[in-house]
Amino acid sequence: QVDLVESGGGVVQPGRSLRLSCAASGIIFSNNVFHWVRQAPGMGLEWVAGMSSDGRHIYYADSVRGRFTISRDNSKSTLYLQMNSLRAEDTALYYCARGYCSGGGCWNFDYWGQGALVTVSS
Amino acid sequence: QSGLTQPASVSGSPGQSITISCTGTSSDIGGYKYVSWYQQHPGKVPKLMIYDVSNRPSGISNRFSGSKSGNTASLTISGLQAEDEADYYCSSFTSSYTLVFGGGTKLTVL
C-alpha cells in the first residue's frame, strides 16, 4: 500500500516562507517521479512542480518559478517544497503526487497524499 | 500558460451517456497524446481515470473512455451511475515541459 503524507502546512504572513514535506512509504521512492499539485479552496487543480527520480530534471509552473523550490532526499523517502515570498494567491491545499509513467513521461498522478493546507494571510 | 477549457457543469440521468470536453491549443492537447482525466468527489483526493488520451489505469471501469480530436479532448461516461457524480478535471503536458489542468466540470446525476 502506497502512502504519501504531507506535513508543514500552516498560516503564514505574505512575504514569508514555508517548507512542505511529503513522506512516502510502500513504494521505492528513489525510482519514482513526484509532483506537487495545489487546490485553492473551492477551486480547481493547479500543477505546481515536478522532479525526476534522480533529481536532475525539475519543472515549475510559471506562477511559482523563482519563488518555490522542489527537492527530494531519496535516503529519507521524502519530497520537499520550499515556498518563499508567499502571496495570498498561494493559499491552497498542497498535494504530493506520484508521477505515473507512460509514453508521454511521468505526468499522470496515480497516488496522492491527503494534502497540507497553506494559508497566506496577514 | 493558460488553463484548459472545460464546461462548468454537465448532467445526465442514470443509464445515459455524457461527454465532457476539454479544449486547449496546439501547444498542449493538440501537440501531444498526453491528456489525463481525474475524478474528484467532494472532500476527497483526485483519482486518475484516463491517461494518454484513452488508456484506463487498472481497476477503472470501462464505462469511462477518452478520445481526442485536434485541440479538444473528451471524456465519455456511459451507463451513468449515481456514484459518478463528482468533479472531473482534464490535464495535458505542454510544450513548455509543464502540466496544465482544465478548470473542472461538475457532473450531476439527475
Side-chain angles (χ1 to χ4, degrees):
Chain A
Q1 177 187 344
V2 177
D3 270 327
L4 301 175
V5 179
E6 300 92 341
S7 61
V11 180
V12 62
Q13 293 179 329
R16 303 298 289 266
S17 300
L18 206 60
R19 188 178 84 155
L20 302 181
S21 299
C22 170
S25 60
I27 194 171
I28 302 176
F29 184 83
S30 58
N31 287 356
N32 284 275
V33 172
F34 286 91
H35 297 260
W36 289 99
V37 177
R38 68 185 181 184
Q39 187 168 32
M43 303 297 285
L45 301 172
E46 180 185 13
W47 174 80
V48 174
M51 177 174 261
S52 62
S53 58
D54 60 6
R56 293 173 60 189
H57 301 282
I58 297 174
Y59 311 97
Y60 294 103
D62 289 346
S63 58
V64 306
R65 185 176 292 111
R67 299 187 300 123
F68 289 13
T69 301
I70 187 174
S71 63
R72 61 192 294 160
D73 186 337
N74 286 346
S75 69
K76 295 181 178 179
S77 297
T78 301
L79 181 75
Y80 302 100
L81 185 68
Q82 176 68 42
M83 304 182 293
N84 298 332
S85 302
L86 282 161
R87 306 166 180 167
E89 54 264 36
D90 295 318
T91 294
L93 187 63
Y94 284 74
Y95 294 106
C96 165
R98 196 274 289 259
Y100 172 74
C101 299
S102 65
C106 308
W107 297 90
N108 314 290
F109 311 134
D110 59 346
Y111 293 109
W112 298 66
Q114 291 300 310
L117 183 61
V118 173
T119 302
V120 184
S121 175
S122 54
Chain B
Q1 180 73 44
S2 300
L4 306 175
T5 300
Q6 298 180 233
S9 62
V10 298
S11 62
S13 299
Q16 288 186 330
S17 294
I18 64 94
T19 296
I20 299 172
S21 63
C22 172
T23 302
T25 69
S26 58
S27 295
D28 38 67
I29 292 177
Y32 306 93
K33 295 180 180 179
Y34 311 137
V35 176
S36 299
W37 290 89
Y38 298 86
Q39 176 192 66
Q40 186 178 33
H41 287 106
K44 301 297 185 181
V45 166
K47 180 179 182 180
L48 179 65
M49 305 302 285
I50 296 286
Y51 68 95
D52 288 359
V53 176
S54 59
N55 293 320
R56 283 186 306 276
S58 174
I60 300 302
S61 169
N62 60 9
R63 297 188 299 106
F64 292 84
S65 62
S67 62
K68 190 189 82 157
S69 177
N71 296 340
T72 298
S74 298
L75 173 71
T76 297
I77 308 174
S78 59
L80 208 57
Q81 299 178 3
E83 64 253 34
D84 298 332
E85 185 163 294
D87 293 326
Y88 291 84
Y89 296 91
C90 60
S91 71
S92 175
F93 175 75
T94 82
S95 59
S96 302
Y97 276 84
T98 61
L99 189 89
V100 61
F101 280 100
T105 298
K106 181 178 180 59
L107 169 61
T108 300
V109 180
L110 301 171

